Amino acid sequence: MVKPDSISCEEAFLRARAQKTRIALQRAMILSLSELGMTELLPPARRLLARLQVTDRLIVEQLRHAVEARRAASPSVEG
């Protein structure tokens, strides 16, 4: 995993969006497996979803750090 300090806002945003897509696809897969009655495949599918969600939290944290770093580097505008 990349250190939060070394990732740009744009890269962090793209990673977060891609991870949200992976999570949505995995949820759809779990729903399909349930509908097809393939219950033996549900536990590994749910474990994968849980791992994706943990990774998502890490990516969101990277995004938060990148945004904070950008704000700290930008001169503030007072009005």
Side-chain angles (χ1 to χ4, degrees), residues 3 7 14 19 35 38 41 47 49 64 66 73 77-78:
K3 290 184 178 180
I7 190 169
L14 290 174
Q19 190 67 10
E35 290 172 351
M38 302 177 80
L41 296 176
R47 284 192 297 272
L49 177 60
R64 186 176 296 118
V77 178
E78 295 181 21

Side-chain angles (χ1 to χ4, degrees), residues 25-72:
L25 288 171
Q26 188 63 20
R27 284 185 176 143
M29 175 65 74
I30 289 170
L31 182 60
S32 294
L33 290 171
S34 295
E35 290 172 351
L36 294 171
M38 302 177 80
T39 56
E40 70 278 2
L41 296 176
L42 288 174
R46 288 183 179 133
R47 284 192 297 272
L48 177 57
L49 177 60
R51 280 183 285 196
L52 290 171
Q53 290 169 328
V54 168
T55 303
D56 181 55
R57 286 190 286 274
L58 295 172
I59 291 170
V60 168
E61 189 63 26
Q62 284 183 332
L63 179 57
R64 186 176 296 118
H65 284 293
V67 169
E68 289 171 359
R70 178 177 274 184
R71 284 184 183 153

